[in-house]
Amino acid sequence: MIHIIDTDHPWDVYSINSGHTEVISCLEWDQSGSRLLSADGDGQIKCWGMTEHLVNSWECTQSSSLDGDPIIALSWLHNGVKLALHVEKSGSTNFGEKFSRVKFSPSLTLFGGKPMEGWLAVTVSGLVTVSLLKPNGTLLTASESLCRLRGRVALADIAFTSGGNIVVAATDGSSSSPVQFYKVCVSVVNEKCRIDTELLPSLFMRCTTDPVRRDKYPAVTHLKFLTRENSEQVLLCASSQMGSIVECWSLRKEGLPVNNIFQHRSPVVGEKQPMILKWRILSATNDLERVSAVALPKLPISISNTDLKVASDTKFFPGLGLALAFHDGSIQILHRLSLHTMGVFYGSSDPAIKRQRAGGPTLHFKALQFSWTSLALVGVDNQGKLHMIRVSPSMGQMLDMNTLLRHLLFLLEYCMVTGYDWWDVLLHAQPSMVHNLLEKLHEEYMRQNQALQQVLSTRIVAVKASLCKLSSATAARACDFHAKLLLIAISSTLKSLLRPHVLNTPDKSPGDRLSEICTKNTDTDIDKVMINLKTEEFVLDGPPLQSLQQLIQWVGDFVLYLLANLPNQVSSTWRPLPGSIVRPGFGFLRDGASLGTLREMLVMIRIWGLLKPGCLPIYTATSDNQDSMFLLFRLLTKLWLCSRDESHLQDPDETLIDECCLLPSQLLVPSMDWLPINDGVITKIQTKHPLRLQFGKPYTLPGVNPNAQVEVFRSPASQRMDHLRCLHLGISPTEDSKACTRCGCVTMLRSPNKTNAMRQWEQRWIKNCLCGGLWRRIPSTLT
């Protein structure tokens, strides 16, 4: 069986009957986390992919086999993307300087330089096998011996070079035997996969040449390249029943000494000393407790001398430490180059687990992995329990609050630029830090160039929403950020329907012209703003407009809700009223850009209403002759004028507040279903006390309603919503649904829509949620 778990819902286990007949020896995720390789002791390799892009639904998509030859190392081919994180530049204002792209070639390329997908495995008998995924879905497979004299391989690891080659390290398991290294080149010739191998310099472990330790550690138990993209540094661990020793080696270029006979001859002009590659030991530990598992850092931190010095001075250690788990249940984090101890974890605080059980083995980790930013460790122990361990960015050393905030901010920016999940960074963000992190993140974002800001515009909103959920004081702002993500998505979708009237279009699209005219024209009369637009660009067929009515209705309801709540939300100083709960929507009242977008939407909807009245938002008015959109646009424009210049926010005048006070007597104000109530574990582990969870049982804090934080913004027994389609699902929905693993957004699994316009909207969220999170299937009873 293969068990797949989402870290924010660790009790929700999805188990796959893998079909492997022997014990699974290797599991390997791809870079995106959407595919998984599994290999077993019978030479079977299977590739698993998500069914309908759901993290708790998987199926086998491809498989290859080397019958009877156990797989001991497995890796996806490299896609050529490599980043370097520069600690020295952490104070820079430019993301491009902090996180630079490193020149790196894919293992194999298709036409046009696109990386070819596939995997590579090493077997016990010394074979290397490569399977390539062709664009048409078929598999090209080839196998080749690592060297002419095939021998038993007990341990192996795989790394990649910047030139596109693959390096395999292999050992027969004996510390007195050499650790061999091979260069593997993969190519496709005449529609067939070809593998070429070449022997590289090998090494003998230092402990075997030491007379004191020669026979003390007979077996090599762990062999790992320090990082997947660095084939020039390797970590070796030799062990006995009593203990272990760890060595770190580096491949260096050295001049070849010339015999004395040739040293006196006159050198030829331009002749250089011949160079050879040679393994040199970087560092070694003293005698250690017996090692049971090794975890290597995944953060691609630059290890130049300057970066290492700055990291040491500022106590920024993520990416610099590797973790060793021992048979006594403890974990040590050592510096990846010097192997000095940086931190120690002594296992569970539960005394029953701490002490050795009578007649049974000590509880210890069998497998260990770092998260992408190296701020968390996940391990599986010898009793099948899963452990998640927080790893301090400063390794427990005392830091002032500003330095700690700077470290977390640096890693949040890294996640924002790369797209990796920032869940493990949130483990270290205390509720008291949330406000400062939000402010500093926004400042750094605003310093980037316009193009990069546009690329990261939705991702930064998603990061802010995740941060806000950590504190009850900012829970309402999390609702605002999710509403902003939905507004951005609806705005871009509706604008994309506009087409220029003539083909020889000017530089600006109709959507851009709409934004420009609405920004320049500050008139509070919606019809006067419409006059300046080329209305022929807004002409659409009836069916698309009618099918998008639910999105248009959300825009209309949201504008009405914001304006009706204005008097309750602000005092004359633009601060929350003393003693009042900051309700969702407060963040929009000072957000000139979002108010401007809502204003543009109302203008567009007004024009479409002339063509197809059925697409207009429906309001319940107390008067038959009430022009609801005219009234809302007038009030929205007044509010927008107060906040359009962020540097000079103006107070809303008394007239505007009085008119907004009258709104509930003129129009029925809708109750907004605020997204979302997060049932993940991240909001429950801000304290230092460990949580004990049970598979299959969702966790709630003792005596606390898990929904209490945001329940004040909801009516009891409220109708459940499909947050993406803006549809009511009823109090007890019967449809199968999916929920976002990050924000909790719920939407139906099957589309009820037939029209192309709505189908296109749904296709945008087929892989990821609005916030970029992954989907998981939830049964209808939990919706």
Side-chain angles (χ1 to χ4, degrees):
M1 298 290 283
I2 297 173
H3 306 286
I4 294 175
I5 295 164
D6 156 39
T7 50
D8 209 25
H9 303 87
W11 49 81
D12 186 12
V13 186
Y14 183 70
S15 301
I16 307 168
N17 188 352
S18 67
H20 285 290
T21 52
E22 294 289 330
V23 173
I24 294 173
S25 54
C26 301
L27 286 171
E28 196 73 26
W29 287 105
D30 73 344
Q31 286 287 94
S32 67
S34 60
R35 286 182 303 180
L36 177 70
L37 289 176
S38 63
D40 66 15
D42 193 37
Q44 301 285 331
I45 302 173
K46 297 192 176 190
C47 175
W48 302 88
M50 290 184 193
T51 312
E52 297 180 310
H53 308 287
L54 299 168
V55 293
N56 54 357
S57 182
W58 295 77
E59 62 183 355
C60 180
T61 55
Q62 300 281 356
S63 62
S64 62
S65 174
L66 284 168
D67 291 338
D69 203 352
I71 307 292
I72 53 162
L74 183 64
S75 176
W76 291 91
L77 296 181
H78 204 284
N79 61 4
V81 177
K82 186 189 175 187
L83 280 178
L85 182 137
H86 301 281
V87 186
E88 179 200 357
K89 305 276 187 183
S90 60
S92 168
T93 56
N94 186 353
F95 287 170
E97 291 179 4
K98 295 180 185 182
F99 321 110
S100 63
R101 181 83 180 258
V102 178
K103 193 174 180 182
F104 210 89
S105 299
S107 306
L108 194 62
T109 53
L110 294 162
F111 179 76
K114 184 184 177 184
M116 193 167 190
E117 295 183 320
W119 59 82
L120 174 136
V122 180
T123 71
V124 162
S125 69
L127 271 183
V128 58
T129 177
V130 174
S131 297
L132 303 176
L133 286 163
K134 291 177 72 178
N136 62 8
T138 56
L139 209 59
L140 274 183
T141 303
S143 302
E144 186 63 59
S145 176
L146 278 172
C147 62
R148 288 181 184 176
L149 293 172
R150 275 172 72 183
R152 177 178 179 273
V153 178
L155 292 172
D157 198 25
I158 299 161
F160 301 89
T161 68
S162 57
N165 292 322
I166 302 159
V167 177
V168 174
T171 173
D172 65 3
S174 168
S175 60
S176 57
S177 301
V179 179
Q180 303 276 12
F181 294 85
Y182 306 92
K183 183 167 83 173
V184 178
C185 301
V186 183
S187 55
V188 176
V189 181
N190 298 328
E191 290 295 306
K192 289 187 178 178
C193 180
R194 177 178 164 181
I195 303 170
D196 296 300
T197 62
E198 180 186 325
L199 192 63
L200 296 175
S202 56
L203 66 87
F204 281 93
M205 286 192 72
R206 167 70 67 83
C207 63
T208 59
T209 59
D210 182 347
V212 180
R213 293 192 175 113
R214 182 173 296 164
D215 302 315
K216 193 172 180 181
Y217 302 110
V220 179
T221 52
H222 297 88
L223 163 63
K224 299 267 188 187
F225 286 108
L226 272 182
T227 65
R228 187 169 172 258
E229 285 108 359
N230 186 351
S231 60
E232 296 175 358
Q233 286 183 339
V234 71
L235 189 82
L236 295 160
C237 174
S239 304
S240 66
Q241 289 298 317
M242 302 307 294
S244 298
I245 189 166
V246 174
E247 297 177 1
C248 184
W249 289 74
S250 178
L251 190 65
R252 305 271 177 87
K253 269 187 181 177
E254 293 186 358
L256 189 65
V258 181
N259 193 290
N260 291 337
I261 298 172
F262 303 104
Q263 282 184 353
H264 301 295
R265 71 179 181 86
S266 55
V268 179
V269 176
E271 186 180 40
K272 291 181 181 176
Q273 183 184 17
M275 306 292 283
I276 58 164
L277 290 168
K278 200 168 185 178
W279 285 99
R280 290 286 183 192
I281 190 161
L282 271 181
S283 50
T285 63
N286 296 323
D287 297 343
L288 301 168
E289 181 71 33
R290 192 168 153 216
V291 173
S292 62
V294 177
L296 296 168
K298 296 179 181 176
L299 195 70
I301 191 166
S302 167
I303 51 172
S304 68
N305 291 334
T306 321
D307 283 307
L308 288 174
K309 185 178 184 310
V310 173
S312 175
D313 292 346
T314 59
K315 297 183 174 57
F316 180 86
F317 298 125
L320 288 178
L322 57 93
L324 300 179
F326 299 100
H327 275 264
D328 64 358
S330 65
I331 297 174
Q332 281 191 30
I333 295 183
L334 311 181
H335 194 284
R336 60 190 268 187
L337 299 178
S338 66
L339 297 182
H340 290 151
T341 304
M342 297 164 71
V344 184
F345 173 75
Y346 288 109
S348 172
S349 56
D350 184 345
I353 293 175
K354 251 178 143 178
R355 66 172 179 266
Q356 185 169 345
R357 292 180 179 170
T362 313
L363 193 80
H364 62 269
F365 290 98
K366 300 286 284 183
L368 207 58
Q369 276 271 18
F370 269 111
S371 63
W372 282 109
T373 62
S374 303
L375 291 186
L377 267 172
V378 67
V380 179
D381 67 25
N382 54 337
Q383 293 182 0
K385 292 178 182 170
L386 186 74
H387 300 254
M388 177 70 74
I389 300 159
R390 225 186 305 236
V391 182
S392 162
S394 62
M395 288 299 154
Q397 296 190 40
M398 294 303 291
L399 288 182
D400 63 277
M401 186 56 80
N402 281 339
T403 310
L404 180 57
L405 282 172
R406 202 160 63 242
H407 289 174
L408 295 180
L409 182 68
F410 189 39
L411 292 169
L412 280 173
E413 290 167 356
Y414 168 73
C415 292
M416 204 163 71
V417 169
T418 57
Y420 287 128
D421 202 303
W422 47 87
W423 187 88
D424 50 340
V425 184
L426 300 182
L427 291 174
H428 300 269
Q430 295 301 314
S432 57
M433 301 178 187
V434 169
H435 180 73
N436 286 336
L437 276 173
L438 287 171
E439 296 291 320
K440 290 180 185 297
L441 191 64
H442 184 72
E443 284 173 20
E444 289 299 319
Y445 169 77
M446 294 308 291
R447 287 175 181 155
Q448 307 312 306
N449 61 51
Q450 201 65 40
L452 187 56
Q453 281 189 29
Q454 198 168 347
V455 169
L456 301 176
S457 59
T458 53
R459 207 173 279 165
I460 188 174
V461 179
V463 174
K464 287 177 178 178
S466 300
L467 282 167
C468 284
K469 282 186 195 145
L470 302 179
S471 166
S472 55
T474 51
R477 291 191 69 187
C479 297
D480 285 355
F481 286 127
H482 283 292
K484 187 170 181 177
L485 284 171
L486 186 55
L487 174 62
I488 292 168
I490 291 175
S491 169
S492 62
T493 299
L494 297 185
K495 283 182 180 178
S496 70
L497 296 173
L498 306 179
R499 294 286 178 269
H501 184 55
V502 285
L503 288 177
N504 55 339
T505 56
D507 295 338
K508 287 179 180 154
S509 67
D512 292 337
R513 272 202 298 282
L514 170 69
S515 300
E516 189 180 342
I517 288 167
C518 287
T519 305
K520 284 180 182 174
N521 193 328
T522 58
D523 206 304
T524 57
D525 187 329
I526 191 168
D527 297 321
K528 288 182 180 175
V529 177
M530 275 169 50
I531 292 168
N532 295 309
L533 291 166
K534 295 178 180 175
T535 47
E536 62 269 16
E537 293 179 340
F538 293 79
V539 175
L540 295 178
D541 297 331
L545 286 177
Q546 190 61 54
S547 67
L548 294 168
Q549 199 277 334
Q550 60 231 44
L551 302 183
I552 291 169
Q553 182 70 46
W554 182 88
V555 173
D557 286 350
F558 191 63
V559 171
L560 175 53
Y561 173 87
L562 285 182
L563 293 169
N565 279 277
L566 175 64
N568 305 327
Q569 296 264 30
V570 293
S571 61
S572 59
T573 54
W574 278 92
R575 295 285 181 270
L577 288 166
S580 67
I581 298 172
V582 176
R583 303 180 73 84
F586 179 75
F588 278 88
L589 303 180
R590 290 178 289 181
D591 185 352
S594 294
L595 294 175
T597 302
L598 285 168
R599 207 167 155 263
E600 293 164 23
M601 294 293 99
L602 289 184
V603 171
M604 203 186 313
I605 293 165
R606 179 77 161 191
I607 296 172
W608 283 342
L610 300 174
L611 304 169
K612 181 79 177 173
C615 77
L616 286 171
I618 298 163
Y619 296 106
T620 306
T622 53
S623 167
D624 291 339
N625 59 357
Q626 174 73 61
D627 187 344
S628 307
M629 288 200 71
F630 184 90
L631 172 65
L632 291 176
F633 184 84
R634 184 164 60 78
L635 299 179
L636 181 64
T637 302
K638 286 184 177 181
L639 181 59
W640 169 69
L641 289 171
C642 294
S643 56
R644 64 173 175 165
D645 185 354
E646 280 189 17
S647 55
H648 296 94
L649 291 175
Q650 297 173 24
D651 298 338
D653 56 31
E654 293 296 327
T655 318
L656 173 59
I657 292 175
D658 289 344
E659 286 190 84
C660 288
C661 283
L662 291 172
L663 261 183
S665 63
Q666 296 169 303
L667 299 170
L668 181 66
V669 180
S671 59
M672 301 297 288
D673 189 272
W674 291 102
L675 163 80
I677 292 173
N678 191 321
D679 59 347
V681 80
I682 192 69
T683 55
K684 304 175 179 80
I685 50 178
Q686 299 311 307
T687 61
K688 297 293 181 186
H689 303 294
L691 285 186
R692 302 206 182 284
L693 307 172
Q694 193 173 339
F695 289 128
K697 289 189 178 178
Y699 179 81
T700 54
L701 285 170
V704 175
N705 174 6
N707 301 339
Q709 191 182 45
V710 192
E711 199 62 49
V712 290
F713 310 136
R714 258 174 214 267
S715 55
S718 61
Q719 292 237 355
R720 299 303 179 193
M721 283 286 291
D722 181 321
H723 296 112
L724 284 185
R725 297 183 179 92
C726 303
L727 290 175
H728 289 281
L729 299 177
I731 293 174
S732 300
T734 54
E735 287 287 324
D736 275 348
S737 301
K738 57 185 180 181
C740 173
T741 55
R742 183 184 285 161
C743 72
C745 167
V746 174
T747 187
M748 283 184 287
L749 205 52
R750 305 277 172 260
S751 171
N753 297 299
K754 301 286 189 290
T755 58
N756 286 338
M758 203 59 200
R759 283 287 179 96
Q760 285 167 5
W761 167 260
E762 291 165 354
Q763 285 296 315
R764 289 185 65 179
W765 320 114
I766 199 87
K767 281 189 180 181
N768 299 90
C769 172
L770 284 160
C771 68
L774 296 168
W775 296 112
R776 64 188 179 105
R777 183 195 293 266
I778 52 173
S780 53
T781 52
L782 294 179
T783 313

